[in-house]
Amino acid sequence: MSTVVTGTTRRTNSTPSSRPFDEGEVSVDELFVKLERATAIIETLEARLDATKAKVDELAPRLSRVLESE
């Protein structure tokens, strides 16, 4: 497999596969934008997960008391 990088585009000459990186030219700029977007999504999901865990931690003792009183 040979790789040619020109400017912000990488061209890979290899056998065809289902991976888009092996199908010709790949814009490094586009990959960087997608990576930034994926990172932002993950950070948002982590923040939501942390908030959900905090809410569960807040509600768990109250639920325990309700269940114990029944």
Side-chain angles (χ1 to χ4, degrees):
M1 174 173 68
S2 64
T3 300
V4 178
V5 177
T6 57
T8 60
T9 302
R10 184 185 108 179
R11 185 176 60 215
T12 303
N13 299 323
S14 65
T15 57
S17 74
S18 62
R19 298 185 319 175
F21 303 118
D22 294 334
E23 295 176 0
E25 292 190 0
V26 176
S27 168
V28 174
D29 292 336
E30 288 179 25
L31 289 176
F32 189 74
V33 168
K34 289 179 181 184
L35 177 61
E36 285 181 322
R37 177 72 177 131
T39 300
I41 290 169
I42 290 169
E43 289 171 349
T44 300
L45 290 172
E46 286 175 340
R48 291 175 64 184
L49 181 58
D50 289 343
T52 301
K53 286 178 182 178
K55 191 67 173 176
V56 167
D57 290 343
E58 175 188 326
L59 293 174
R62 291 171 54 192
L63 291 172
S64 292
R65 285 194 300 272
V66 168
L67 292 173
E68 289 172 1
S69 68
E70 289 182 356

